[in-house]
Amino acid sequence: MTGKECEKLIKAKFNKENVLALIHDADKKAKLKLALDSIGRHQLYCRFHYEEFNKAIKAHRLAMFDKLTSETEMKNPEYYRCVFESHAFAFFRALHSLIESVPYIINIMVGKEEVESRRLSWQTAKKSLNDLEAYTLINDIEKLREGSVYKQLDNLVNISKHRRLPQIDSDVFCDGNAKFINKEFDSNKCHELSVSVFMIESYEIIEPFVVMFIYELAEFLSHSATFP
């Protein structure tokens, strides 16, 4: 698929009704509709958290130099640190939830596991696709997961959810470009980017992948002789 075709597809998204029409089981169709609706909600959440993160970073810098307007009630810089950190982690978790919903969607559409099975993973997703000989889609998954952005995002979210909250340096006395502190990551290079840059880079890779993958999966199934 060419770059122009990808751009056109991203703008067009996918036709949700066409995807739902491929599923005949009423319960699965209802679950799939919720999953597809959730994609749009996660997209909105990411955009909201990105905007609020940048607002809070700006307010934090102003508070550090006592330049907030006299009408501003909250003057404490640590308040704005709490705000920008919470929006940063919320952004990455929403984006991670977006990409990690793909195995769930694949299972609803073509998998053999229970719809709400806790055993769902990328491995079960690839097995289901392999049974359909959907090798191009499997390659798409492997390419994404082998990429640095997916690995960085996955590592960051797992650390922040299950271990600790990585520290963020607001860098207010330098260029004001908030960054993850290097020592927080042994094998993750997301600290080499500012937080906002990593937000943009990861979103611009993950979001189009999800949209295109579901579109292409639906296209494949609509022309597959092996799909019921």
Side-chain angles (χ1 to χ4, degrees):
M1 183 175 290
T2 67
K4 288 185 178 180
E5 288 172 332
C6 289
E7 183 179 353
K8 182 179 179 181
L9 179 57
I10 292 167
K11 290 180 179 178
K13 304 295 182 183
F14 51 82
N15 187 308
K16 184 169 66 176
E17 296 307 317
N18 288 349
V19 177
L20 291 171
L22 296 168
I23 307 303
H24 304 295
D25 180 276
D27 182 57
K28 284 189 174 184
K29 180 173 288 193
K31 293 289 176 64
L32 180 58
K33 183 180 185 303
L34 289 174
L36 296 178
D37 288 343
S38 294
I39 290 174
R41 291 167 67 189
H42 282 308
Q43 290 169 325
L44 291 175
Y45 294 166
C46 284
R47 290 162 191 166
F48 167 75
H49 291 305
Y50 176 76
E51 291 173 2
E52 294 303 311
F53 168 82
N54 284 301
K55 289 178 187 176
I57 281 287
K58 181 179 179 181
H60 177 263
R61 184 178 182 83
L62 293 172
M64 287 291 291
F65 294 102
D66 196 25
K67 290 185 177 180
L68 288 169
T69 63
S70 58
E71 293 80 15
T72 304
E73 293 184 10
M74 181 57 66
K75 305 287 189 181
N76 188 347
E78 287 306 301
Y79 168 80
Y80 297 104
R81 169 175 286 281
C82 178
V83 175
F84 77 67
E85 285 187 346
S86 62
H87 281 295
F89 292 118
F91 172 93
F92 290 117
R93 289 174 185 175
L95 186 60
H96 191 256
S97 295
L98 179 62
I99 186 60
E100 294 301 315
S101 69
V102 172
Y104 176 73
I105 291 171
I106 292 173
N107 184 63
I108 293 176
M109 297 180 72
V110 299
K112 295 180 174 62
E113 299 285 345
E114 293 292 326
V115 171
E116 300 297 336
S117 172
R118 297 180 64 85
R119 295 183 297 177
L120 298 179
S121 67
W122 288 106
Q123 287 305 115
T124 61
K126 289 196 291 184
K127 184 180 184 303
S128 297
L129 295 173
N130 189 68
D131 291 342
L132 291 173
E133 300 181 354
Y135 304 125
T136 299
L137 294 175
I138 294 173
N139 289 336
D140 290 342
I141 289 173
E142 291 176 343
K143 183 178 179 180
L144 174 83
R145 298 187 71 231
E146 288 169 3
S148 61
V149 165
Y150 174 86
K151 289 180 179 179
Q152 290 165 6
L153 176 66
D154 191 54
N155 184 244
L156 171 60
V157 171
N158 282 327
I159 287 174
S160 67
K161 284 177 64 176
H162 305 299
R163 301 181 193 175
R164 63 189 183 279
L165 288 174
Q167 293 175 287
I168 297 176
D169 178 4
S170 66
D171 207 22
V172 69
F173 295 109
C174 295
D175 60 7
N177 227 342
K179 300 178 179 68
F180 289 108
I181 294 176
N182 292 20
K183 67 180 182 179
E184 294 289 349
F185 304 98
D186 295 328
S187 59
N188 191 325
K189 294 185 178 180
C190 68
H191 62 262
E192 296 179 358
L193 296 171
S194 74
V195 177
S196 61
V197 169
F198 187 51
M199 283 177 166
I200 295 170
E201 180 179 321
S202 57
Y203 187 84
E204 288 183 347
I205 289 175
I206 298 297
E207 192 263 1
F209 174 87
V210 173
V211 172
M212 288 189 288
F213 186 90
I214 295 173
Y215 172 86
E216 290 172 355
L217 174 59
E219 282 289 292
F220 176 87
L221 296 179
S222 67
H223 298 96
S224 175
T226 59
F227 182 66

